[in-house]
Amino acid sequence: MTEIVGESLAKRLIDWGVDTVFGLPGDGINGLMEGFRRHSDKLQFVLVQHEEAAAFMATGYAKATGRLGVCAATSGPGAIHLLNGLYDAKLDHAPVLAITGMQETSVLGTHYQQEVHLDRLYQDLAAYNLMVTNPQQMPGVVDLAIRNALTKRTVSHLTFPNDIQVAAVEQDPYRHVGPGTPPASLPDLALPALPATPDQLRRAADVLAAAKRPAILVGVGALHARDEVIAVAERLGAPIVKTLPGKAVVPDYHPLTTGGLGLLGTGPSQDLMEECDTLLMIGTSFPYGKFLPQPDQVRVVQIDADPTLIGLRLPVEAPVAADAKLALQGLLPLLGEGDRSFLHKYQHEMELWKRDMAALQDGSRDPIAPQYLMGCLNDAAADDAILTCDSGTIATWAARHWTIRGERQFYLSGNLATMAPGLPYAIGIQHAYPDRQVIAFVGDGGFAMLMADFLTAVRHDLPIKVVVNNNNSYGQILWEQIILGYPEYAVRHRNPEADFAAWARACGTYGAKVTKPGDVEPAIREALAHPGPAIVDCDVNPNEPPMPGKIKYEQAKHFTEAFLRGQPHKMATLATVARDKINELRS
């Protein structure tokens, strides 16, 4: 049988260690699908319900494993649907290869059906972006696309016209000017971790030695450096603040951490940023500058493997362009013992904060408090569970009530902050780790966008658990409107409320609809014990505010203005806020 370009693509993916492609076929990629079919013993095609979900699955797979995620879609609308998930991969530095189809070369430029010039559409997105126009480009361009995705931790894109897909791989329709085949051996793209220079470490140590009120801010770039982060914090006597993507760097109950920062963070972390005189940033360029110290307040040391990310938010006195783990290993011997009084102050504040958060996990409240739902899930989940999350109020509840312990991990859309990745992330990660407990904690809005792909989990026997925090509204947008000083508008769905548990049962698996507080914990435990995919759809209080860790004057002012202008659910909202405060005072 003649080897076609689609087959050459499949073989080269296998050579690179790829074993899975997430996607949805179409007539624009029939030649590629034939190539995948010919090698289906080594390359699995996971058929999805929506191309956006395929891109999110590939992204979740790449985030959790560090390996290349691959997704495929047909020409025109199929390829357009990939974009949201692929931008998530780009902004969160996940290596993903997108493969799309294109109309035959003979009709390009003739306003043919579904003719979208995808190489132009993907120009801002992909680090390597090419329309393949000659079979002789294979498999060299596949190598280049994968090299770029893996080394730059970003997205690459290859689009194949239909006639090229089915062309014999040795065919050369043009006058050929040089060898098109790459070397027989594949390069080793396991990039060596970049060490810090002695001068960089010495300067950083000098700045940290002068600190009287040191703090550490860690992000996703420090996930592999937990022991080193803790050792440096111990030596300096510095509290550790975590970004949300970096939540798993340090266990949440470790005495050195004050938790997260920002709208979803803790009060102690925000107080700490306002009081510290020296900040050590590790593996993060935290984008929300208003939550960071004032530039004239602190001296800053920043460690990042990507030197272009150093100094984006604050002036950096001691930049360290290096791998976080290696840099901290080199820095530790240069540091003396710091005064621990500043740390002790914030350890006390953190104990009070934890007490307040625990008080909000009140199982007696009806409607159900979302904090209680997350608390029950947190208590019942395994110590090595992986939690995926959507954007919205659910991210607040996960940030504050999902505790990192043991080998737990936590993934969400960090910089893009898009809705809908929670479910497909879970599918992609469960595919990569079939023996781990993988849970998607999602809102009703985000789940509804791609809920059809729950059926993908059922069909592939992926035992993901989905917990829906159902407030029948776009809760985060609701509160953003109020914080701007306007009454909410067009953010709550009309009745009837969705019953996503019925969808699970329609798919032939476990589904539980929870409306009473006493049923939350049993339903969670039954779902986690179920051997296959499961959904727990829990109706929660739609008027529960995702309060920031520290309320600032402008926020309080706008909140009041929204009520004065006619907030439609003000009495229920005020009752909820009051109940929260009563619980905190009782704790």
Side-chain angles (χ1 to χ4, degrees):
M1 191 183 328
T2 301
E3 181 177 326
I4 61 174
V5 167
E7 185 175 6
S8 176
L9 169 65
K11 289 169 66 176
R12 203 58 171 173
L13 291 175
I14 293 167
D15 288 342
W16 279 97
V18 174
D19 58 13
T20 305
V21 177
F22 302 95
L24 185 60
D27 60 357
I29 56 170
N30 279 339
L32 303 183
M33 294 302 300
E34 171 60 13
F36 297 156
R37 184 196 67 81
R38 293 183 185 182
H39 294 275
S40 58
D41 58 329
K42 295 181 180 178
L43 187 65
Q44 182 181 3
F45 188 85
V46 176
L47 176 62
V48 305
Q49 302 289 325
H50 194 289
E51 292 92 353
E52 183 178 355
F56 280 132
M57 289 177 199
T59 301
Y61 178 96
K63 285 184 176 184
T65 65
R67 301 195 296 270
L68 183 73
V70 182
C71 57
T74 191
S75 56
I80 293 169
H81 285 160
L82 291 176
L83 288 174
N84 196 41
L86 293 175
Y87 267 104
D88 180 39
K90 175 183 177 177
L91 296 185
D92 282 357
H93 310 290
V96 173
L97 173 63
I99 301 168
T100 64
M102 180 71 74
Q103 282 68 28
E104 286 82 357
T105 55
S106 60
V107 299
L108 290 177
T110 65
H111 301 285
Y112 199 72
Q113 184 186 33
Q114 294 186 335
E115 183 181 351
V116 177
H117 291 264
L118 299 175
D119 51 335
R120 302 177 196 172
L121 180 66
Y122 279 60
Q123 188 170 354
D124 175 65
L125 169 66
Y128 187 88
N129 177 33
L130 182 72
M131 180 171 70
V132 179
T133 55
N134 188 327
Q136 292 290 305
Q137 292 173 277
M138 300 292 291
V141 294
V142 180
D143 288 352
L144 287 169
I146 293 175
R147 289 179 188 181
N148 274 270
L150 288 173
T151 57
K152 298 176 182 177
R153 313 299 293 177
T154 190
V155 175
S156 287
H157 170 238
L158 292 173
T159 187
F160 294 82
N162 275 328
D163 52 331
I164 299 296
Q165 295 175 32
V166 297
V169 74
E170 71 273 6
Q171 181 179 334
D172 185 3
Y174 312 111
R175 176 177 292 180
H176 203 54
V177 297
T181 56
S185 60
L186 293 172
D188 180 6
L189 289 189
L191 292 178
L194 182 66
T197 68
D199 286 345
Q200 289 177 333
L201 294 176
R202 197 175 303 110
R203 180 60 180 153
D206 289 344
V207 172
L208 295 170
K212 291 183 172 56
R213 299 184 301 279
I216 297 175
L217 177 62
V218 297
V220 68
L223 281 174
H224 65 304
R226 173 182 289 184
D227 292 343
E228 289 76 13
V229 168
I230 291 173
V232 167
E234 285 277 11
R235 183 70 57 85
L236 293 173
I240 302 169
V241 180
K242 304 186 291 183
T243 69
L244 195 52
K247 181 175 173 63
V249 174
V250 178
D252 281 305
Y253 281 105
H254 196 284
L256 287 171
T257 185
T258 59
L261 182 63
L263 285 175
L264 281 60
T266 71
S269 287
Q270 190 57 54
D271 289 340
L272 179 61
M273 288 295 113
E274 294 173 7
E275 190 178 357
C276 67
D277 65 2
T278 306
L279 181 63
L280 171 57
M281 300 175 67
I282 309 171
T284 181
S285 58
F286 191 74
Y288 309 106
K290 65 181 179 180
F291 296 105
L292 292 172
Q294 293 299 310
D296 59 355
Q297 169 195 331
V298 290
R299 304 175 73 185
V300 180
V301 177
Q302 186 174 357
I303 300 171
D304 205 294
D306 185 349
T308 66
L309 299 179
I310 294 177
L312 287 182
R313 314 300 171 200
L314 291 168
V316 175
E317 190 170 341
V320 181
D323 171 78
K325 188 179 188 75
L326 292 181
L328 294 174
Q329 287 174 349
L331 183 61
L332 186 61
L334 305 178
L335 300 175
E337 293 287 341
D339 182 359
R340 303 180 74 82
S341 58
F342 189 61
L343 171 63
H344 291 157
K345 173 183 176 180
Y346 279 95
Q347 286 176 326
H348 175 68
E349 284 200 19
M350 197 58 192
E351 287 304 313
L352 298 178
W353 173 266
K354 289 175 184 176
R355 185 193 66 186
D356 289 344
M357 291 301 101
L360 296 178
Q361 296 176 196
D362 182 356
S364 67
R365 292 170 61 179
D366 193 355
I368 297 165
Q371 300 96 323
Y372 177 65
L373 172 63
M374 185 70 251
C376 288
L377 178 58
N378 179 64
D379 291 344
D383 286 351
D384 67 345
I386 300 172
L387 187 77
T388 68
C389 189
D390 269 3
S391 299
T393 55
I394 33 97
T396 301
W397 316 134
R400 293 178 178 170
H401 301 275
W402 172 258
T403 56
I404 297 299
R405 63 174 188 256
E407 298 303 315
R408 281 186 174 183
Q409 295 294 324
F410 177 69
Y411 296 101
L412 81 172
S413 175
N415 287 293
L416 187 60
T418 180
M419 293 176 65
L423 171 65
Y425 270 17
I427 292 172
I429 293 171
Q430 187 77 83
H431 180 81
Y433 297 110
D435 298 327
R436 295 277 293 272
Q437 191 180 72
V438 181
I439 306 164
F441 182 62
V442 297
D444 55 294
F447 182 69
M449 288 181 173
L450 294 174
M451 61 182 282
D453 270 290
F454 181 74
L455 194 54
T456 301
V458 176
R459 286 170 171 159
H460 288 269
D461 198 24
L462 297 170
I464 63 167
K465 316 304 176 190
V466 180
V467 177
V468 183
N469 183 85
N470 193 341
N471 56 19
N472 203 37
S473 65
Y474 295 105
Q476 189 69 34
I477 304 169
L478 184 160
W479 292 101
E480 287 169 349
Q481 289 179 353
I482 292 176
I483 290 300
L484 287 173
Y486 301 109
E488 65 173 76
Y489 178 69
V491 288
R492 299 189 195 237
H493 292 294
R494 297 177 180 178
N495 286 331
E497 293 186 4
D499 182 356
F500 297 111
W503 169 232
R505 294 191 293 272
C507 293
T509 189
Y510 179 92
K513 180 68 172 179
V514 177
T515 60
K516 295 298 181 183
D519 296 332
V520 174
E521 185 177 357
I524 292 289
R525 294 192 180 276
E526 287 177 20
L528 293 178
H530 182 72
I535 293 177
V536 175
D537 179 11
C538 183
D539 289 351
V540 300
N541 186 355
N543 300 304
E544 181 71 39
M547 303 296 280
K550 184 176 181 179
I551 300 176
K552 298 188 176 182
Y553 169 77
E554 284 298 317
Q555 293 170 322
K557 175 174 174 284
H558 291 158
F559 188 88
T560 303
E561 288 172 350
F563 278 67
L564 292 175
R565 289 172 177 167
Q567 166 62 16
H569 297 272
K570 60 184 177 183
M571 295 310 297
T573 302
L574 289 173
T576 300
V577 174
R579 183 63 183 270
D580 285 347
K581 290 302 175 187
I582 289 170
N583 281 353
E584 289 177 11
L585 291 171
R586 284 176 175 172
S587 62

